[in-house]
Amino acid sequence: MKKRIGFLSFGHYQNVRGSQTPTAKEALVQSIELAEAADEIGIDGAYVRVHHFTRQLASPFPLLSAMAARTRHIELGTGVIDMRYENPLYMAEEAAAADLISDGRLQLGVSRGSPETALRGAESFGYRPAEGETDADMARTHTELFRRAIAGSELTTSDPRVTGVTQGLSIEPRSPGLGDRIWWGSGTRATAVWTAEQGMNLMSSTLLTEDTGVPFDELQAEQIALYREAWRAAGHAREPRVSVSRSIIPITTDEDRRYFGARAAHDAHDQVGMLDGVQSRFGKSYVGEPDVIAEQLAADAAVRDADTVLLTVPNQLGVAYNARLLETVARHVAPAFGWEPAAAAPVRP
């Protein structure tokens, strides 16, 4: 199994002391610049979070297209798009266009989304669940229609007064292979099984909305194992991909210690709490000397079992800081759990 690493940016922006992203413009431009730097280092993926009604990245496709135009090798993705808010057919057009611009490098994480600041925010976008549906049901319905659209299904018919014929019409443009690069953000073992049955890749973050009392990495490894078992049982032809997210902060300079040194002990353990009325388990952070966290990550059961590890980055500290962080991980941490840089873009000496 080829190991990949990528960065995941939440895209925060706020005009507060110390922030290098006081406005949305800085957050967007710096996301593009960090993707460029990561591409040069040899990092495999550049992923962005998607949130609405808050000072974070919200509209991924213009950003992904710009990142694609400025890079050559790196995968470009989302983690995740909240499908409750999406017009599936318009999203299919945008996704295909961005994927064509990137020459097939798009990796789209989609899901029901995380808890949000807006009360019934999707309703403000014009979407509300049908009678008897939950908002999670609506997200899955939108996803099913989106996937049909990118696969080229006929979704309406032509007007014979204009075309002279009556025939089925599909969304255009379409990008071959995009359907195999859709990931579902899963927060439980049960949704991981559903994801496999649907034929989507699995994206699992630093949070699981369930808790069995075992360490986070072991519970997540169980989630991955159930997903792979369900994938085999479903008889899908291709090999699936699985990603996990981790907060990884190597401490190598006084600047690192100033920002994150106090977190090393505090965040070194899982946290358990209530989220949306459900007892949930939050994974620990990996903060410390590179050789120490390399050893810890090599022992992380879910990192071992996933093919892709996404590093959450402190985007408000700017491009230079985060590029150095990624390079430190690439040189001194990721090789411990089996990662090697792409031959086309070697790690800088």
Side-chain angles (χ1 to χ4, degrees):
M1 176 174 60
K2 174 180 170 56
K3 285 286 189 180
R4 295 175 172 88
I5 57 174
F7 74 80
L8 174 60
S9 173
F10 283 59
H12 292 288
Y13 58 91
Q14 192 171 4
N15 190 13
V16 295
R17 182 180 178 184
S19 173
Q20 300 299 308
T21 55
T23 70
K25 178 180 178 179
E26 277 90 359
L28 289 162
V29 170
Q30 289 183 29
S31 296
I32 298 166
E33 293 173 347
L34 185 57
E36 287 185 281
D39 200 29
E40 181 182 346
I41 293 167
I43 300 297
D44 301 288
Y47 289 73
V48 295
R49 288 293 298 268
V50 181
H51 286 283
H52 303 287
F53 298 111
T54 188
R55 292 177 179 269
Q56 292 179 246
L57 300 174
S59 50
F61 293 107
L63 176 58
L64 293 171
S65 296
M67 293 163 76
R70 296 266 290 268
T71 58
R72 291 292 175 267
H73 308 288
I74 198 167
E75 295 180 338
L76 307 163
T78 54
V80 294
I81 297 172
D82 188 333
M83 293 301 291
R84 295 174 297 174
Y85 285 81
E86 295 297 322
N87 178 318
L89 302 190
Y90 183 56
M91 179 178 167
E93 294 175 340
E94 290 190 302
D99 196 44
L100 291 168
I101 291 169
S102 74
D103 196 23
R105 289 183 282 137
L106 219 56
Q107 303 285 341
L108 289 181
V110 302
S111 192
R112 176 264 182 203
S114 58
E116 56 184 347
T117 57
L119 179 63
R120 297 190 298 273
E123 291 186 22
S124 300
F125 276 53
Y127 304 110
R128 68 175 59 191
E131 186 174 352
E133 271 192 338
T134 66
D135 59 351
D137 293 331
M138 183 174 69
R140 294 185 183 197
T141 299
H142 284 189
T143 301
E144 191 274 335
L145 181 54
F146 166 71
R147 295 180 69 204
R148 285 175 55 206
I150 63 175
S153 296
E154 295 179 355
L155 299 171
T156 190
T157 56
S158 63
D159 185 342
R161 296 171 299 177
V162 176
T163 63
V165 296
T166 299
Q167 60 184 12
L169 296 177
S170 304
I171 288 295
E172 293 288 350
R174 295 197 300 275
S175 186
L178 178 57
D180 290 341
R181 288 178 272 115
I182 307 301
W183 308 57
W184 184 263
S186 170
T188 66
R189 292 164 296 171
T191 55
V193 170
W194 176 85
T195 301
E197 291 168 348
Q198 303 306 306
M200 290 184 284
N201 299 315
L202 177 68
M203 185 173 279
S204 190
S205 73
T206 55
L207 162 69
L208 291 172
T209 52
E210 60 181 344
D211 180 41
T212 63
V214 304
F216 178 85
D217 68 309
E218 294 180 18
L219 182 59
Q220 195 172 47
E222 183 180 346
Q223 180 193 36
I224 294 170
L226 289 170
Y227 168 80
R228 294 193 186 281
E229 180 181 343
W231 184 278
R232 289 190 294 270
H236 301 303
R238 67 179 179 88
E239 285 297 314
R241 288 184 58 184
V242 174
S243 75
V244 296
S245 300
R246 292 292 183 267
S247 177
I248 302 171
I249 306 289
I251 303 293
T252 62
T253 68
D254 289 340
E255 183 181 29
D256 298 332
R257 293 183 187 91
R258 186 167 65 252
Y259 283 129
F260 300 107
R263 287 181 49 184
H266 181 269
D267 294 349
H269 306 283
D270 294 350
Q271 303 292 323
V272 177
M274 300 299 292
L275 186 67
D276 270 2
V278 177
Q279 183 160 296
S280 304
R281 182 168 285 266
F282 303 79
K284 65 183 180 181
S285 297
Y286 292 86
V287 183
E289 299 295 327
D291 58 333
V292 174
I293 60 177
E295 184 176 346
Q296 293 171 339
L297 283 162
D300 185 305
V303 168
R304 178 195 64 218
D305 292 346
D307 63 80
T308 301
V309 179
L310 300 181
L311 291 63
T312 60
V313 294
N315 76 283
Q316 287 183 285
L317 294 182
V319 175
Y321 184 90
N322 282 290
R324 180 173 62 80
L325 183 155
L326 293 175
E327 189 157 10
T328 300
V329 171
R331 294 187 65 180
H332 303 295
V333 177
F337 56 80
W339 178 79
E340 296 180 358
V347 175
R348 293 175 295 186

